[in-house]
Amino acid sequence: MAPSFLNFKDFRRRSRASIRTDRSTDTSSYDDHHSQNTTPTNGSITPPSITANSDPALNAQLKDQPQPPPIPANRPPPQPNSNNRYSVSGMAGLGSPALNGKSSLPVSQYAPRITNLGENTWVSQKILLINGMVGEPGQRSLEGSVTVCRLDDGFPPTHWPVCESQFKAMVYLVPGANRLRFDFSSPKLANSGSSNPIHSSYLTVHMVPPMNSPPLQLAILLAKDSPGTFDAVPTRAEREGNDLDTAIRKFRMAAYLWQAFTAEQMWRNKLGRRVFRFEEEWTTGTCNYRDREMGMMRSEARIHVIRSDKTMAEIRDLDIAQQNPNAAKKGDLYGIAADALKKYFKPLPGQTQYVSVLILDSHWDTQSKIVTGHAALGGNSGDLHMAIFGSHALQSYPTSFEEVVPAFTDCTPTDTNFVANDCNESGSSWEAANIGIGAHLHETGHLFGCPHQENGVMLRDYVTLNRTFVAHEAYSTRTKSKGGPVAQANECTWHRLDCLRFRSHPCFRLPNDPLLNPDASVQAWPVENGHVQITAATGVSFIEIYPEGDDLCHTWIEYPLESGPVQRNLTLTEQELRDRLPEKKRRSKIKVCVKSHGGGNLDIDDFHSLCSKASSLKISFGKSAYRSVKLGFSQMEGSEPHEFLFTSVTQKTRVLSRVVIYHGFAVDGLEFFYDDDSSQLFGKRGGKPGGDTFEMDIRRGEYITGFFVRSGLWIDGIQILTSFGRKSPIYGNAHGGSPHTLLPPRGYTVCGVTGSCAAWVDGFGVLIAR
């Protein structure tokens, strides 16, 4: 009887499994047309059956075979050889199998070295950007390619060019440990194309998805009669399609590029590899050719396809003034998109959504030379934080990892008979990809609360977005430069202030971030000697200083969590802020914006006025009271100032006994009653007849310590906080405006109220005293 390992049926089954494994690996570059124009290699990838032990049946059979004798305990240790790193490139015919996916050969001096992360790094993102180099510093520059593969073959190998010894690569991660191999090959190196990985290095990256943060939703908006196509030159449309499925693949890949770029920027700013996540769905993988060919299912970023109730003609007639000042018909594409998203997502009051929208029905009008049905805008509509951008550059986007480098190096001239040359900065395909992907990222920055900056994505530096993903830049029609190697200093960036905003944004939370106080607000309190105390329950993150006439911030103060204790109470002086400004700006009026680690914001339009005597008033006992920064805009028609000290402060014999709050969809007024039944009215007695009453426990000496306020243009809702830790209900609109907690700094108490009222209360603050 033949031995079990020669059983014909088992042998045939194992052969069949082996064939399937080989095929899944080989199809990653099934067509020369889809290659990245890198130097071809022969056998530089260790076969999957070795790297991943892909045939369990074979392992079972080998257990029964005789094992080699153990190594004697007295075997002399190997002698160290300082030249091991340099002895490989000239060694021909080496044959050494890989153990657990890693070669036992000595490390080559040409093994790729990763420069932006180390072994066993933990990240929380699906797409990771890798930067590295080949060879030793000071040696001659090398050209070739680096092949990145997973040891479990869970993602097909991808190839990335090496220019002057530098390379950049993207890695697709799955939750858990991701074991990666980087193989360098070059026609100028001996044994570069051998069957064993000679010039190789290994890296393990652990990925934990951040499920405790709200996702950035991705949506494609179509007209109700849209055919679901986008602008593309005929040859390109024939080659890859310009239908909705192609648009989904391209938009998803663009979003993955946003994610990889932003996480790398946060890391370079020493704020951790934190980045927004996407809502995901189980669908056919689109990030590589093999997944599409084999129908491989993966958890990918979900693209919501949303139909508007507008027709294509209506959408394409809506031109923002920047595009066509003489347009006969103008409209609000942002409002139309917001309405469609609210109808689709159906958020409840107080639920915040973050959505970046691609308008598929944007169209290059060759007659008028404008892009119709397109708007580049970002911001918020209530609780919906949204960015919108057109699809006029979509044809130039990559659809997969294999297309990233070709997309950012494609010098094909833009044919304006079919597609737009946006702002005359998209003269070639790769420059159009920069404008489309980068400008949409710019609007997504607005979605996250970023204003324009002095440099970076929030200026217009996204015209160099390609440099993040390629080691060599192609010829640019915009600058008329022939391109060349890309230095990190010349790459596109997020501004430091953008990164600080992201550090405090809920979409950028990491799985191990501690829970923050739910009160994210910031308050400013003028006190004695011209000082201003800043309070924030989550701590102050940074302060922006704007001298009069400056729209962009050039001067700021940071209080990062990574390098010091949480600053929940700060004292500022006007002179301290002015000393930080350039000499010629120090005498001008200054605006100060304070940001908290919880994402709260406070704007002080005139810091000098806040810390001057204008912010104080005398109390009859010789003490002074100080006005907090007012909430609400006080800009309603007929708005009049309202302010008073509590009678219980000016008359020590009186005690505050109850507060009556008048309210409807907003706060109409507050009436403060004392133990002798006298009262003081702030605002008006409107809204609900008779209002609602909140009683104070006067026998135990309960008093008001602060207010929780929801406000925007006016005061939407208000809640009373007391010395016993009690809280009243929120009167008015409990979900309107943004939240603020008015709690005086330590050593001060509430002694009155200040603000303004029109048809209802449109401004509110408190008076404090020691």
Side-chain angles (χ1 to χ4, degrees), residues 371-438:
V371 180
T372 59
H374 159 64
L377 295 168
N380 70 289
S381 175
D383 290 327
L384 175 62
H385 294 249
M386 183 180 71
I388 62 174
F389 196 79
S391 61
H392 49 286
L394 192 60
Q395 73 150 9
S396 62
Y397 295 14
T399 64
S400 65
F401 273 42
E402 293 94 339
E403 295 176 7
V404 170
V405 172
F408 283 122
T409 53
D410 185 352
C411 293
T412 303
T414 299
D415 188 346
T416 53
N417 291 317
F418 301 98
V419 292
N421 180 350
D422 201 345
C423 300
N424 291 317
E425 293 184 328
S426 306
S428 64
S429 182
W430 74 263
E431 290 167 299
N434 269 0
I435 292 289
I437 298 171

Side-chain angles (χ1 to χ4, degrees), residues 129-143:
L129 183 66
I130 297 289
N131 286 270
M133 64 181 299
V134 176
E136 301 293 344
Q139 289 185 341
R140 64 186 179 90
S141 296
L142 296 169
E143 310 290 328

Side-chain angles (χ1 to χ4, degrees), residues 29 45 53 55 160 204 275 280 394 430 484:
S29 56
I45 306 301
N53 291 329
D55 195 345
W160 307 88
T204 299
V275 70
E280 297 194 347
L394 192 60
W430 74 263

Side-chain angles (χ1 to χ4, degrees), residues 636-648:
M636 292 177 61
E637 184 178 352
S639 181
E640 296 179 351
H642 282 226
E643 178 179 278
F644 55 76
L645 291 165
F646 294 148
T647 302
S648 55

